[in-house]
C-alpha cells in the first residue's frame, strides 16, 4: 500500500502537511468519500456506526457521528511518522519549514518524553522524541499550542467547579461584581483565568435542543464574551465556541457565523487560485476562517434553521468548502 502524498522526500511530505493542514488535499473536514476520491481506496478501516478510523499506512483519518443517519464529522488527520523506514530529524524538518517561510514554534514538552511544535495558522502539531530528535507524528487539528488556552491551569479543577457553581446562580450584575473582585490583575493571568472558567462551565452545558434555555448556557455565553474581551478568543473563535456548544438558537448561531466570515465568497482564496506562500498568508488564513465558520454554520442546519436566506447562504459557502484552504 503506498504512502498517500509521499511522492517526494519525507521531509517535504511532512512539511507540506504542516503548512497546509492536509494530505494530498484531504484534511480533517473531508468526508470519507472525499478522502477516497483524493487518496484512493488502498486503505484499511475499522470502527462501528458511530466511529470510523481509516489508515493509509502512515496516514490516518478519523470520523465520528451521533447517530447512524447523521453524516460523518471529521475528527483528525494524522501522519504516523514513526512508521517511516528512515526517521525524519525534527531539526531537518524545522529548517525546511523555515526556508519555506512557514516556521514551526516549539511549545512546552508533554512530560512524557516528547517535544512539541505547532503551526497555529494551519492548526497542525508535531511530536518529536526528546532523546533521538526523530519526528513521531504530525496531526491536524492539534490539541496543543501557545497562549492561555493551552497553558497549564494555575487553579484546581475543584476551584473551577466551585466558581462556576456560584456564578450560575448570580444575576448579570452580581456576576460582574464578582468578576471585579476575583479576576487576576495581570492581563496574561486574567486571560488564562477566564478561559479556565469557560472550560469548567462548558462541561456543565447540557446537550440537545433545550440546551439554549439552560442557565449553564447563559453563563457560558457570558464567559465567551469575557474571553473575547481578555484576548483569549477573537471573533471567529468566539463564534466557533458558541456554535460548537449550541449556545444560541440555530438561526442566531448561523447568522453570527456568517457575519464573522472575514471575506466574501467572490474574493475568498481557494486552493485553485492561491499558492501556499508566506506573502499570501493573510488571504490563506481568511479562507481557513471562512471554512471553519461555514462548517459550524452547516452543522446548525441540522438543528432546524428557519430563515431560508441563512440556509441558502450557508449552503453556498459549503459548496466552496472543498476548495477552501
Amino acid at each position: 500500500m503506498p504512502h498517500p502524498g509521499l511522492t517526494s522526500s519525507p521531509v517535504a511530505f511532512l512539511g507540506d502537511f504542516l503548512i497546509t493542514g492536509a494530505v494530498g488535499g484531504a484534511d480533517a473536514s473531508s468526508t470519507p468519500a472525499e478522502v477516497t476520491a483524493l487518496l484512493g481506496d488502498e486503505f484499511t478501516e475499522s470502527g462501528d456506526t458511530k466511529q470510523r478510523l481509516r489508515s493509509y499506512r502512515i496516514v490516518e483519518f478519523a470520523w465520528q457521528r451521533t447517530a447512524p443517519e447523521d453524516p460523518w464529522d471529521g475528527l483528525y488527520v494524522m501522519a504516523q511518522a514513526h512508521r517511516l523506514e528512515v526517521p525524519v530529524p525534527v531539526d531537518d524538518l524545522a529548517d525546511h519549514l523555515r526556508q519555506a517561510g512557514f516556521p514551526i514554534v516549539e511549545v512546552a514538552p508533554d512530560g512524557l518524553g516528547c517535544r512539541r511544535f505547532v503551526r497555529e495558522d494551519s492548526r497542525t502539531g508535531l511530536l518529536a522524541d526528546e532523546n533521538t530528535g526523530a519526528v513521531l507524528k504530525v496531526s491536524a487539528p492539534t490539541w496543543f499550542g501557545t497562549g492561555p488556552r493551552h497553558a497549564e491551569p494555575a487553579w484546581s479543577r475543584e476551584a473551577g467547579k466551585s466558581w462556576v457553581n456560584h456564578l450560575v446562580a448570580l444575576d448579570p450584575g452580581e456576576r460582574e461584581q464578582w468578576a471585579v473582585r476575583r479576576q487576576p490583575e495581570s492581563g496574561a493571568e486574567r486571560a488564562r483565568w477566564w478561559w479556565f472558567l469557560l472550560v469548567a462551565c462548558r462541561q456543565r452545558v447540557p446537550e440537545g435542543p433545550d440546551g439554549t434555555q439552560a442557565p449553564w448556557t447563559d453563563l457560558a455565553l457570558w464567559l465567551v464574551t469575557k474571553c473575547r474581551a481578555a484576548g483569549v478568543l477573537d471573533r471567529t473563535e468566539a463564534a466557533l465556541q458558541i456554535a460548537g456548544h449550541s449556545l444560541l438558537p440555530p438561526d442566531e448561531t448561523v447568522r453570527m457565523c456568517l457575519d464573522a466570515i472575514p471575506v466574501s465568497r467572490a474574493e475568498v482564496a481557494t486552493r485553485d487560485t492561491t499558492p501556499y506562500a508566506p506573502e499570501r498568508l493573510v488571504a490563506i488564513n481568511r479562507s481557513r476562517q471562512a471554512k471553519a465558520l461555514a462548517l459550524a454554520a452547516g452543522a446548525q442546519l441540522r438543528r432546524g434553521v428557519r430563515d431560508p436566506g441563512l440556509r441558502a447562504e450557508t449552503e453556498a459557502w459549503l459548496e466552496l468548502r472543498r476548495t477552501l484552504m
Side-chain angles (χ1 to χ4, degrees):
M1 190 184 302
H3 299 300
L6 194 51
T7 56
S8 55
S9 72
V11 168
F13 167 70
L14 295 175
D16 184 72
F17 183 14
L18 282 156
I19 292 170
T20 66
V23 174
D27 62 21
S29 72
S30 300
T31 66
E34 289 167 351
V35 174
T36 301
L38 290 165
L39 302 182
D41 56 8
E42 294 188 48
F43 57 81
T44 59
E45 199 165 85
S46 61
D48 51 31
T49 59
K50 293 187 177 181
Q51 293 182 323
R52 192 169 177 179
L53 177 66
R54 179 182 296 186
S55 175
Y56 290 88
R57 289 189 68 186
I58 71 165
V59 177
E60 296 176 350
F61 291 84
W63 298 271
Q64 68 177 7
R65 62 185 177 186
T66 303
E69 63 271 15
D70 291 337
W72 290 104
D73 292 323
L75 286 176
Y76 64 82
V77 54
M78 184 179 296
Q80 300 282 10
H82 62 90
R83 297 177 187 168
L84 291 167
E85 294 178 5
V86 179
V88 173
V90 68
D91 291 342
D92 290 357
L93 182 54
D95 287 343
H96 170 80
L97 289 162
R98 194 179 306 109
Q99 292 171 15
F102 292 91
I104 50 177
V105 175
E106 186 165 9
V107 297
D110 67 355
L112 301 174
C114 288
R115 297 171 66 191
R116 303 188 293 181
F117 300 79
V118 295
R119 265 215 67 81
E120 291 193 289
D121 60 307
S122 58
R123 299 182 66 204
T124 50
L126 179 156
L127 291 178
D129 189 288
E130 268 187 330
N131 295 320
T132 67
V135 178
L136 299 176
K137 60 183 65 178
V138 176
S139 61
T142 181
W143 63 92
F144 50 84
T146 62
R149 282 176 288 168
H150 302 283
E152 197 68 31
W155 310 274
S156 69
R157 181 177 299 183
E158 290 71 23
K161 289 173 62 176
S162 174
W163 287 337
V164 296
N165 283 336
H166 178 68
L167 280 167
V168 76
L170 302 182
D171 64 36
E174 291 171 331
R175 286 177 186 166
E176 294 292 342
Q177 293 172 8
W178 182 90
V180 169
R181 295 194 306 269
R182 291 280 188 159
Q183 66 181 352
E185 293 184 8
S186 162
E189 188 178 10
R190 185 184 306 140
R192 290 172 59 198
W193 186 72
W194 282 116
W195 178 252
F196 173 75
L197 290 176
L198 176 58
V199 172
C201 177
R202 282 186 326 199
Q203 297 168 355
R204 308 293 295 274
V205 173
E207 297 182 359
D210 297 327
T212 55
Q213 305 302 317
W216 286 104
T217 302
D218 178 67
L219 177 59
L221 282 168
W222 181 73
L223 290 170
V224 167
T225 302
K226 292 298 184 180
C227 283
R228 189 175 176 197
V232 184
L233 301 171
D234 61 20
R235 187 183 186 189
T236 294
E237 293 161 341
L240 293 176
Q241 285 289 321
I242 291 170
H245 297 278
S246 298
L247 302 181
L248 289 172
D251 284 60
E252 288 184 50
T253 305
V254 169
R255 185 175 294 106
M256 176 189 58
C257 287
L258 295 177
D259 287 346
I261 293 177
V263 64
S264 69
R265 283 187 282 115
E267 297 174 336
V268 69
T270 69
R271 293 176 179 172
D272 299 330
T273 63
T274 307
Y276 284 94
E279 62 271 17
R280 301 306 307 273
L281 193 54
V282 171
I284 290 169
N285 286 337
R286 285 176 177 166
S287 180
R288 287 169 169 156
Q289 290 174 313
K291 185 175 186 175
L293 289 162
L295 287 167
Q300 293 295 312
L301 297 184
R302 305 174 204 167
R303 294 179 65 205
V305 173
R306 297 180 179 180
D307 188 322
L310 292 174
R311 180 174 289 273
E313 181 66 11
T314 299
E315 290 172 345
W317 272 107
L318 291 176
E319 285 290 318
L320 292 174
R321 177 185 62 80
R322 284 177 290 180
T323 67
L324 297 179
M325 312 295 278

